[in-house]
Amino acid sequence: MKVLLTGSAGFIGSHVAEELQAAGHEVVGLDVRAGTDVRDEAAVDSSVAGSDVVVHQAAKVGQGVDVADLPGYASTNVYGTAVLLAAMARRGVGRLVLASSMVVYGEGAYECSEHGRVRPGPRATDDLSRGVFEPRCPRCGAPLVPVVIGEDAPTDPRNAYATTKLAQEHLAANWARETGCVAVALRYHNVYGPRMPRDTPYSGVAAIFRSALEAERAPRVFEDGGQRRDFVHVRDVARANLAALAGGEEGTLEAYNIASGEPRTVREMAVALAAARGGPEPVVTGEYRLGDVRHIVASPARARAELGFRARIGFAEGMREFAEAPLG
């Protein structure tokens, strides 16, 4: 197939390009680094022409620094996606694979011993400042137990990036319904691996820790380090995109968690990276960011059943590689 890949020169996009090419697909790249912006209607229309499928990775990433970032997120992620979908409709391209994110869920899923499955709201500033990091039951205030989250969970984006990723899903669903075409949204969990961007305010936590260790600084772990995440290797994410080329249903958007199925804490990740590079040891700071969520652990069951996708690179193996891998 001829695949238009947006964000083809980025961290994840470059790995997706390699996976698609290895499988025999013809890949046409569109990337702002090469001078083509996904918001440029004429350039996008020309790039879409003749494609069999679009794999949409281009996005402004990270949760944002402050509200001044809102126009940039909305412009690139929302308007850029609308431009792309409109071009696909004009050119008769009937399949989209969209890079979405686990951030659309907000907090993960929890159970209360008295009230069962609950969805806590944003954590209170007073709690966070006192070092109380675990969410409370919204009904009785009792401690909660985190459980895995599935694709049918309610969405509750908590920052600019999350809001625009959910908007991308809604736009793709609109496009699929109105055209009768196929849209697959891959909700990436915490992606890491070679070529990950270096330490910036918009980097993922894995890159921030890796950059600190490269500079012989101790990784600074926020809160108490007990935040649970699913760290999934970028080559597994690339394989998920390949699998998604054959997934989905006409006239709708299907969403899939793309995760390893092996949840770890942020502190565990920092310790593993430090050990692989020979230190220094992480420092748990107690600091916090209001936009952060406490636990988000995914069920990858739907992707396994419907796409045939299963992560292959385990946490220990992946962290050993990432500790010495080149960054972007």
Side-chain angles (χ1 to χ4, degrees):
M1 288 194 291
K2 183 177 181 180
V3 181
L4 173 63
L5 174 61
T6 73
S8 56
F11 163 46
I12 296 175
S14 64
H15 288 275
V16 173
E18 291 171 356
E19 188 72 24
L20 293 173
Q21 289 165 344
H25 297 293
E26 178 187 353
V27 177
V28 176
L30 187 157
D31 196 283
V32 70
R33 298 165 185 81
T36 308
D37 195 307
V38 73
R39 294 168 292 185
D40 183 330
E41 295 185 25
V44 169
D45 186 74
S46 176
S47 298
V48 165
S51 299
D52 299 302
V53 59
V54 172
V55 177
H56 184 28
Q57 304 290 321
K60 181 176 175 65
V61 299
Q63 75 167 30
V65 175
D66 54 40
V67 293
D69 287 326
L70 288 173
Y73 279 101
S75 179
T76 299
N77 297 356
V78 182
Y79 178 68
T81 298
V83 167
L84 180 66
L85 293 170
M88 292 175 67
R90 284 193 301 271
R91 295 292 189 171
V93 180
R95 179 175 289 273
L96 172 73
V97 178
L98 171 67
S100 187
S101 172
M102 57 87 173
V103 295
V104 301
Y105 297 119
E107 277 287 354
Y110 295 85
E111 287 187 352
C112 171
S113 59
E114 182 175 352
H115 297 107
R117 185 66 64 93
V118 296
R119 292 279 289 176
R123 293 177 291 170
T125 303
D126 287 347
D127 280 348
L128 293 170
S129 63
R130 292 185 294 110
V132 179
F133 301 119
E134 295 295 338
R136 302 174 184 269
C137 175
R139 298 178 63 184
C140 67
L144 299 174
V145 176
V147 294
V148 296
I149 197 165
E151 291 86 351
D152 295 329
T155 53
D156 183 21
R158 301 281 177 93
N159 56 58
Y161 173 64
T163 299
T164 59
K165 294 309 286 185
L166 184 57
Q168 286 183 317
E169 288 195 16
H170 288 319
L171 288 171
N174 296 156
W175 167 83
R177 281 193 299 270
E178 293 182 22
T179 62
C181 295
V182 176
V184 176
L186 302 180
R187 291 176 176 169
Y188 302 158
H189 284 252
N190 288 71
V191 186
Y192 72 96
R195 303 174 211 154
M196 196 172 186
R198 290 183 178 275
D199 184 5
T200 78
Y202 304 96
S203 294
V205 67
I208 291 171
F209 290 169
R210 170 69 170 72
S211 295
L213 288 163
E214 189 173 48
E216 299 184 350
R217 301 191 310 268
R220 295 176 59 81
V221 179
F222 279 17
E223 302 186 16
D224 60 359
Q227 310 94 303
R228 296 177 78 225
R229 298 288 189 271
D230 189 305
F231 298 100
V232 58
H233 196 281
V234 67
R235 287 198 297 275
D236 280 328
V237 170
R239 289 179 44 251
N241 277 268
L242 178 63
L245 295 184
E249 298 287 340
E250 292 182 353
T252 188
L253 177 140
E254 297 287 345
Y256 297 93
N257 286 325
I258 302 303
S260 72
E262 298 180 11
R264 303 282 179 160
T265 68
V266 171
R267 185 177 184 279
E268 283 180 294
M269 189 264 286
V271 168
L273 283 177
R277 286 192 65 94
E281 289 293 314
V283 175
V284 177
T285 69
E287 298 172 86
Y288 62 88
R289 297 186 302 182
L290 288 178
D292 286 349
V293 298
R294 180 62 176 176
H295 304 297
I296 178 82
V297 177
S299 168
R302 180 182 290 181
R304 183 166 57 246
E306 298 183 14
L307 300 180
F309 168 75
R310 186 191 298 268
R312 295 176 180 170
I313 301 173
F315 178 80
E317 174 191 355
M319 288 297 161
R320 282 194 299 270
E321 179 201 26
F322 182 53
E324 303 293 341
L327 299 180

